[in-house]
Amino acid sequence: MSALTQLTIAEARAGLRGRQFSARELAEAHIAAVAAARPLNAFLAETPERALAMADAADQRLQRGEARAMEGIPLAIKDLFCTEGVLTTAGSRILDGFKPPYESTVTAKLWAAGAVMLGKANMDEFAMGSSNVTCAHGAVENPWRRRGDNRPLVPGGSSGGSAAAVAARAAIAATGTDTGGSIRQPASFCGIVGMKPTYGRCSRWGIVAFASSLDQAGPMTRSVRDAAIMLGAMAGHDPKDSTSAPVPVPDFEAALTGDIRGLKIGVPHEYRLDGMPAEIEALWQRGIDWVKAAGAEPVEISLPMTKYALPAYYIIAPAEASSNLARYDGVRFGLRVPGGSLDEMYENTRAAGFGAEVRRRVLIGTYVLSAGYYDAYYLKAQQVRTLVARDFGAAFQRCDVLLTPTAPSAAFAIGEKQDDPIAMYLNDVFTVPVNLAGLPGISVPAGLAADGLPLGLQVIGRAFDEATVLRVAEIIETAAGFTAKPAFLAGGG
Amino acid sequence: MAVIRGSSGDWEVVIGLEVHAQVISKAKLFSGAATDFGAEPNTQVSPIDAAFPGMLPVINRYCVEQAVKTGLGINAEINLVSVFDRKNYFYADLPAGYQISQYTRPIVGKGKIRLDLADGSTRDIGITRLHLEQDAGKSLHDQHATLTYVDLNRAGVALMEIVSEPDLRSAEEAGAYLRKLRSILRYLGTCDGNMEEGSLRCDCNVSVRRPGAPLGTRCEIKNVNSIRYVMQAIEHEARRQVELLEEGGAVEQETRLFDAGKGITRPMRSKEHAHDYRYFPDPDLLPLRLDANWVEALKRSLPELPDAKKARFIEQYRLSPDDAGVLVAEQASADYFEAVARGRDAKLAANWVMVELYGALNRLGLGIEGSPVSAAGLGELVDLVIDGTVSGRLAKEVFAAMIETGKGAAFLVEERGLKQVTDSGAIESAIAAVLAAQGDKVAEYRAGKEKLFGFFVGQVMKATQGKANPALLNELLRKKLAG
Amino acid sequence: MALDKATVAKIATLARIKLPPSEQEHLAGELSTILTWIEQLGEVDTAGVEPMSSVAAMELPMRNDEVTDGGCREKILANAPDSAGGFFTVPKVVE
Ligand SMILES: [Mg+2]
Ligand SMILES: [Zn+2]
């Protein structure tokens, strides 16, 4: 194991350009770490040969002085991103054996920026979950453990494999996707930084769709600076995605000025949930104090629709998913379970190919869209969505960013909350409203719970104002001085 | 209005048509794959058309323009904001498990199409809406004993679904409606109207009722692929429903298929699951907003359409409504006619086009585009008739030769010596020769048997191989016979 | 709303997911719980509120009518569980 796996993107970038080590050395260290991380089940596919080939190409670039933004940086790629010729399953049996004949726009941009692919990260099946226990190929383990308790914990989800890999030092960074919190919540559970950009900032083209109006790709890193660097490489207008925003990508790293004086930081009082652990309340207050100390001004604001965001989300997301997942029918790719008729073949294939949570959501989605129920459920949820977005609009009249906890709890044990889908859904209570409103949000590790597990704080910004979000997040990161490391370190301690 | 006479009284047939018209475009509605007909299976398929994971639709601007043009061509409201919805159902040739279509907010709203009825009157048929949607792929059920083969070349091609009000009252009206709609689409260049290749497909909603009674239960006959079949299917379906009702039965709302071989409709064998399409706005697409000025500009750029052209032909060329109707049915025929008529006797031109040209093209099985005689060529011939170079009778012979050889009229008249004789000396000598040879007939004529005049004309014509100018011949002959 | 087994079976058919009768009871309970929880939305007054189907505050982009894709049958068929003669194949459908 090597110190090379401890580096952030920014540090590795400096080391590569300063010839302190080569991209190949960096890749080799991480390939070994990926192998060492197998007990976590964080990877569905490892691509060491590709990693080395990409690293060699990066070394040539570096030698010629033509290094790009992510030159030689080894990444884990959430299995939701289609990668040309590389197994892509969305964590589902129904995509058994699927090798896409195309590369997602976001991963293509990362490769074009010089990044190196280590493999495909495990995830909740079709990104539906907050625990990574719904993966078809086994649960992912969080590299963290509670103090004095060796029970395996969930890494959060759905980008749980990505979060676990980054936390365990098996990858410098990873891609994630966030539909209701799937980047920010696992980042919080695993003690890393996870950013969901504004809807439309990163192209959805080539990302297996869960809920199209909510899905957004983003970086999962070990520092805010890394998130800024990586987001810059992932973002940008894509004419192949009709919802991709035709707006320029600012230099996010340059936005990290360390100066937030005069900024107004909104604190939504509806986020003070009954029964939320006191240590999360306390952490939140510490965060408020940090930004205040840095010269920003906390303001109490109100998001009255908070309570309704989650149920609205659990109509909209399953509805879109029920339609998005109709293409998995055993005809053109993936699993086929034979049947006597076409319909029987469909029913057998989809019963065998989808796990329990996916089936549950597809059925809910089918129901809320069906004749006679559309207005009562789907239309109502879309109207509530409008109100949720208006809440944020009103809040941003009074402040520049919002500061909240990322999740109402730290990581829980594998097996906990399993039988109660709603208890599981509540994990996303602070993250879901951000997706409904399409806003950028980031989770920054801000401290440890009493049992030694990481907790994150969330910064939410105006649409396309990731720069301010990142700037505030870096202040929190610096103030928190989070240096704790998980119990399991694939890349050595 | 046609009625069906049943044993218990009269029945009225009520028909509404849903036409799927394939938009003329190079690429598909939401993908960059080609749309050509007849390509090898699955060679015009993009991962978007095959609904591969993560693939997203981006709309083809030209297809939108085509739909708007069509809307303008059927006198319809253009909706400046329309929405694409997903229509969810499972089928082997529907790769995504949903069709991108327009449900509550179509791009085109209410319009109308004018029918020219056999008695010379017209009737307006209401258009409910026109919306843009994707076509499905093609399932081939007869290639294998236990398998259906699926070709996705057609999947994703842009369709305009044009829905009529239930305003049609007979199979003939339905036929006339389809012919008119096809004519408009072809004028606009928005659909080639080729029913054999499936670019125009028709679903017929048929019900019957006592005249004036509320609408009866309807059956939908799916995917009928020629105008003749549409008429047969409606005819059969209406009679079937009347018989059923007269026997005391009830019509069941269902989807039926037309069996062209037997000329009957039958229920679809695959009893589909109760339809529940779960429409909702496609989250991969945003509402389609059109610029009013752009729509205005399109409107100004529309070609003259059949109704307007017909009115103009009647007015400008003094044609009968029937003749004008025939000439404007196809843009190419109308253009051809106008090229022949320009600066000439329009009625004569119309006659030549409709009688001689159409007759010849029919015999040869050619369309006007494939005519061996160009409009300029026919014009040249008409000129020769008008200026007396060739007689009307011989002109037909010249025309036949033009069709056959592709040579010009003047050249053929010259080559074959068909030029009309207008030299009075030559005609006079021919008359003299005939009268000399027919001395007794001349005597009879002069004794009062004036009917014989025609006989003498015939003889002189024969002597001149038909080339004598008839008017001159008549004048000189009359003079000669008068002594 | 409480879903009964028949409704669950109907939705499963619509969604083309085979559901053994033994699972219907259990799922009916689970889905009913979720739906009941969702129905708290009924408390929100949404009269006259525009439904939001997308947060993207932009115009629908359009592309030009150019052939830029297709002509890649091998790629399109490569992942198919079964194909023949350039076609995808499925169990025979009778119309
Ligand atoms: Mg229809
Ligand atoms: Zn249609």
Side-chain angles (χ1 to χ4, degrees):
Chain A
M1 297 307 164
S2 135
L4 291 181
T5 56
Q6 303 304 311
L7 302 172
T8 62
I9 294 176
E11 289 161 356
R13 179 177 63 186
L16 286 166
R17 291 179 194 201
R19 304 286 165 81
Q20 290 158 27
F21 47 84
S22 68
R24 177 171 258 270
E25 287 164 334
L26 189 63
E28 280 168 345
H30 282 92
I31 288 166
V34 168
R38 281 176 199 152
L40 298 178
N41 199 29
F43 284 85
L44 289 173
E46 297 173 17
T47 55
E49 279 122 43
R50 188 169 295 223
L52 291 176
M54 291 170 109
D56 289 344
D59 277 329
Q60 288 182 12
R61 281 261 185 180
L62 284 157
Q63 251 151 39
R64 292 200 302 268
E66 293 168 3
R68 298 156 294 182
M70 299 279 289
E71 203 70 59
I73 305 298
L75 302 178
I77 301 299
K78 187 179 185 180
D79 202 35
L80 208 60
F81 292 79
C82 289
T83 41
E84 190 169 353
V86 176
L87 190 67
T88 300
T89 68
S92 179
R93 281 203 56 202
I94 207 148
L95 274 171
D96 268 357
F98 177 60
K99 289 187 176 164
Y102 45 84
E103 185 77 29
S104 85
T105 297
V106 163
T107 47
K109 276 173 163 290
L110 287 168
W111 312 144
V116 167
M117 176 162 71
L118 292 169
K120 301 298 288 288
N122 204 347
M123 53 180 287
D124 279 307
E125 184 178 1
F126 280 105
M128 295 178 190
S130 314
S131 65
N132 266 245
V133 292
T134 77
C135 320
H137 305 283
V140 176
E141 272 186 30
N142 193 324
W144 292 78
R145 290 284 189 274
R146 287 179 183 134
R147 211 171 280 133
D149 180 349
N150 212 28
R151 272 183 303 165
L153 305 174
V154 304
S158 65
S159 311
S162 297
V166 174
R169 274 63 179 171
I172 292 192
T175 61
T177 64
D178 189 317
T179 305
S182 284
I183 288 176
R184 291 158 289 160
Q185 184 256 15
S188 177
F189 278 19
C190 292
I192 64 166
V193 174
M195 178 158 209
K196 181 201 96 75
T198 311
Y199 183 83
R201 181 62 98 178
C202 293
S203 170
R204 294 185 296 114
W205 194 87
I207 300 174
V208 177
F210 161 17
S212 312
S213 77
L214 300 159
D215 296 345
Q216 183 61 203
M220 303 181 78
T221 60
R222 288 196 296 266
S223 77
V224 172
R225 179 166 301 272
D226 284 6
I229 296 168
M230 186 164 163
L231 178 59
M234 295 168 74
H237 176 238
D238 181 6
K240 292 190 287 190
D241 172 0
S242 298
T243 61
S244 164
V247 296
V249 179
D251 183 342
F252 295 120
E253 201 181 358
L256 304 177
T257 59
D259 182 1
I260 60 164
R261 282 173 299 169
L263 280 188
K264 294 209 167 78
I265 313 287
V267 179
H269 64 78
E270 287 83 0
Y271 278 43
R272 298 189 194 284
L273 298 186
D274 292 341
M276 187 161 74
E279 55 189 2
I280 289 180
E281 282 262 17
L283 179 77
W284 189 7
Q285 187 54 51
R286 235 175 294 149
I288 295 167
D289 295 341
W290 290 332
V291 293
K292 202 168 164 183
E297 181 195 339
V299 286
E300 184 92 348
I301 56 106
S302 173
L303 300 172
M305 281 294 133
T306 298
K307 178 182 173 202
Y308 301 106
L310 208 51
Y313 172 85
Y314 275 96
I315 292 171
I316 292 166
E320 292 182 11
S322 72
S323 177
N324 282 335
L325 269 57
R327 67 190 56 198
Y328 305 104
D329 60 5
V331 177
R332 295 164 317 286
F333 37 74
L335 181 74
R336 169 184 289 194
V337 179
S341 68
L342 179 64
D343 278 330
E344 227 178 274
M345 189 269 275
Y346 286 154
E347 293 188 343
N348 293 344
T349 299
R350 291 165 62 81
F354 291 147
E357 182 61 23
V358 172
R359 264 183 282 173
R360 193 150 50 208
R361 296 206 200 182
V362 167
L363 293 177
I364 287 279
T366 303
Y367 182 71
V368 298
L369 287 176
S370 64
Y373 298 101
Y374 181 87
D375 288 5
Y377 292 109
Y378 191 71
L379 197 68
K380 183 86 182 177
Q382 283 191 318
Q383 290 174 312
V384 171
R385 186 173 184 182
T386 302
L387 297 176
V388 169
R390 278 187 201 163
D391 274 5
F392 281 104
F396 284 121
Q397 300 285 320
R398 301 190 44 226
C399 62
D400 300 295
V401 294
L402 305 184
L403 178 61
T404 77
T406 305
S409 77
F412 45 88
I414 292 177
E416 279 174 18
K417 304 196 192 186
Q418 283 281 72
D419 308 329
D420 183 356
I422 292 168
M424 190 67 87
Y425 296 170
L426 284 170
N427 271 295
D428 299 331
V429 65
F430 299 142
T431 47
V432 152
V434 180
N435 297 79
L436 288 177
L439 304 174
I442 194 168
S443 177
V444 191
L448 295 178
D451 58 7
L453 292 183
L455 295 170
L457 285 178
Q458 175 176 231
V459 181
I460 303 164
R462 297 190 180 96
F464 298 105
D465 191 15
E466 287 87 354
T468 306
V469 172
L470 287 160
R471 184 144 44 101
V472 174
E474 200 203 24
I475 295 290
I476 292 169
E477 178 183 54
T478 307
F482 185 92
T483 53
K485 283 183 181 163
F488 182 96
L489 283 171
Chain B
M1 207 168 288
V3 290
I4 296 181
R5 293 196 199 294
S7 53
S8 64
D10 288 352
W11 296 88
E12 185 184 26
V13 191
V14 177
I15 305 150
L17 299 182
E18 286 175 28
V19 171
H20 283 96
Q22 205 175 82
V23 173
I24 296 177
S25 65
K26 293 198 211 70
K28 294 183 180 180
L29 181 55
F30 293 113
S31 89
T35 58
D36 304 330
F37 179 79
E40 286 293 300
N42 291 310
T43 54
Q44 296 181 166
V45 180
S46 94
I48 299 171
D49 307 318
F52 271 54
M55 294 297 94
L56 295 173
V58 181
I59 199 165
N60 181 332
R61 179 185 289 111
Y62 185 64
C63 294
V64 173
E65 182 179 323
Q66 293 283 62
V68 172
K69 267 193 197 166
T70 306
L72 294 169
I74 55 174
N75 312 296
E77 303 157 18
I78 305 303
N79 293 324
L80 295 181
V81 182
S82 64
V83 170
F84 287 97
D85 296 286
R86 291 186 182 178
K87 178 181 182 179
N88 295 281
Y89 65 96
F90 285 86
Y91 198 65
D93 54 25
L94 185 72
Y98 58 84
Q99 176 194 33
I100 305 178
S101 181
Q102 298 189 300
Y103 184 48
T104 50
R105 303 186 70 178
I107 186 165
V108 175
K110 286 198 181 306
K112 58 177 188 289
I113 287 181
R114 175 153 295 175
L115 295 196
D116 306 283
L117 301 175
D119 65 1
S121 65
T122 64
R123 201 153 90 71
D124 284 351
I125 303 302
I127 300 294
T128 314
R129 60 186 284 161
L130 174 157
H131 67 252
L132 264 176
E133 63 184 22
Q134 303 174 294
D135 205 346
K138 213 171 179 171
S139 293
L140 293 94
H141 305 299
D142 53 3
Q143 306 286 303
H144 190 276
T146 59
L147 296 173
T148 286
Y149 282 27
V150 180
D151 172 15
L152 298 180
N153 279 348
R154 221 178 54 190
V157 170
L159 294 179
M160 299 177 283
E161 181 173 329
I162 304 163
V163 183
S164 87
E165 296 285 326
D167 285 353
L168 298 158
R169 291 293 176 271
S170 68
E172 290 68 37
E173 282 190 9
Y177 169 86
L178 284 173
R179 279 193 299 275
K180 187 58 171 282
L181 175 59
R182 185 171 61 179
S183 167
I184 293 169
L185 294 170
R186 288 169 56 94
Y187 263 73
L188 292 165
T190 57
C191 169
D192 68 20
N194 190 329
M195 292 189 89
E196 292 74 54
E197 292 182 1
S199 345
L200 202 64
R201 307 193 286 272
C202 186
D203 301 343
C204 318
N205 288 301
V206 180
S207 64
V208 300
R209 65 175 174 190
R210 296 295 186 187
L215 289 176
T217 305
R218 64 188 167 88
C219 288
E220 183 176 24
I221 312 160
K222 278 266 180 224
N223 259 329
V224 191
N225 62 5
S226 84
I227 294 179
R228 194 161 58 91
Y229 289 162
V230 166
M231 294 170 65
Q232 282 178 17
I234 291 171
E235 202 68 62
H236 173 270
E237 178 59 20
R239 287 192 188 285
R240 185 189 71 87
Q241 291 183 14
V242 166
E243 276 169 32
L244 201 61
L245 293 169
E246 294 212 316
E247 285 164 9
V251 175
E252 205 187 317
Q253 182 161 352
E254 63 183 355
T255 305
R256 301 177 67 86
L257 291 175
F258 179 65
D259 183 330
K262 297 184 185 136
I264 59 162
T265 67
R266 60 165 173 84
M268 281 183 83
R269 250 180 287 169
S270 58
K271 276 285 180 202
E272 293 160 84
H273 301 265
H275 282 297
D276 189 338
Y277 291 126
R278 289 160 284 136
Y279 283 99
F280 74 106
D282 191 329
D284 287 331
L285 295 163
L286 302 166
L288 174 61
R289 288 175 211 282
L290 305 178
D291 177 50
N293 293 323
W294 179 75
V295 174
E296 263 318 301
L298 272 185
K299 193 173 191 170
R300 282 194 300 274
S301 77
L302 287 191
E304 184 182 38
L305 291 174
D307 288 337
K309 202 181 281 285
K310 181 180 169 187
R312 180 167 65 79
F313 278 17
I314 294 170
E315 162 79 22
Q316 180 180 340
Y317 300 117
R318 305 277 156 211
L319 299 181
S320 72
D322 269 3
D323 286 357
V326 169
L327 287 171
V328 304
E330 292 285 340
Q331 171 104 53
S333 320
D335 289 350
Y336 191 106
F337 159 72
E338 288 212 272
V340 178
R342 194 165 300 126
R344 303 189 178 98
D345 180 326
K347 280 198 180 142
L348 190 58
N351 250 319
W352 273 98
V353 171
M354 289 192 299
V355 181
E356 298 306 321
L357 177 71
Y358 282 12
L361 294 179
N362 262 340
R363 275 193 303 280
L364 296 170
L366 291 173
I368 195 115
E369 293 87 350
S371 172
V373 175
S374 69
L378 180 54
E380 183 191 334
L381 177 60
V382 173
D383 284 341
L384 294 180
V385 174
I386 292 170
D387 73 12
T389 305
V390 68
S391 70
R393 198 163 61 81
L394 285 184
K396 291 181 185 173
E397 203 175 303
V398 175
F399 184 72
M402 290 167 75
I403 290 280
E404 204 177 304
T405 65
K407 290 176 182 164
F411 176 86
L412 284 165
V413 167
E414 201 58 52
E415 182 192 63
R416 305 196 175 184
L418 299 174
K419 208 165 186 170
Q420 184 160 256
V421 179
T422 49
D423 165 15
S424 52
I427 297 175
E428 272 170 347
S429 59
I431 291 174
V434 167
L435 295 191
Q438 305 284 351
D440 22 346
K441 291 247 166 51
V442 174
E444 278 176 50
Y445 177 87
R446 286 185 175 147
K449 200 170 175 189
E450 294 196 352
K451 286 197 301 204
L452 280 169
F453 188 76
F455 166 77
F456 294 124
V457 171
Q459 291 298 306
V460 179
M461 269 298 180
K462 203 165 155 195
T464 61
Q465 287 108 46
K467 289 181 284 186
N469 176 299
L472 192 56
L473 189 157
N474 280 359
E475 187 196 320
L476 294 173
L477 182 61
R478 214 172 289 278
K479 230 184 265 173
K480 256 296 191 293
L481 283 169
Chain C
M1 175 179 289
L3 292 189
D4 53 19
K5 277 178 12 179
T7 308
V8 171
K10 203 189 117 200
I11 309 169
T13 304
L14 265 182
R16 299 295 188 277
I17 297 175
K18 186 176 191 168
L19 208 56
S22 59
E23 279 183 41
Q24 288 171 9
E25 186 84 60
H26 173 69
L27 254 170
E30 255 180 13
L31 299 185
S32 299
T33 308
I34 296 171
L35 284 172
T36 307
W37 172 71
I38 282 171
E39 281 161 10
Q40 59 180 302
L41 289 187
E43 298 163 13
V44 185
D45 179 7
T46 52
V49 177
E50 265 296 298
M52 178 187 266
S53 19
S54 176
V55 295
M58 52 183 276
E59 292 294 301
L60 178 70
M62 302 199 209
R63 44 171 252 279
N64 291 332
D65 183 30
E66 286 159 8
V67 176
T68 55
D69 206 346
C72 50
R73 178 158 82 186
E74 264 54 65
K75 282 184 175 183
I76 292 295
L77 293 174
N79 281 287
D82 190 33
S83 66
F87 293 93
F88 295 102
T89 59
V90 297
K92 197 175 189 83
V93 179
V94 184
E95 276 189 341

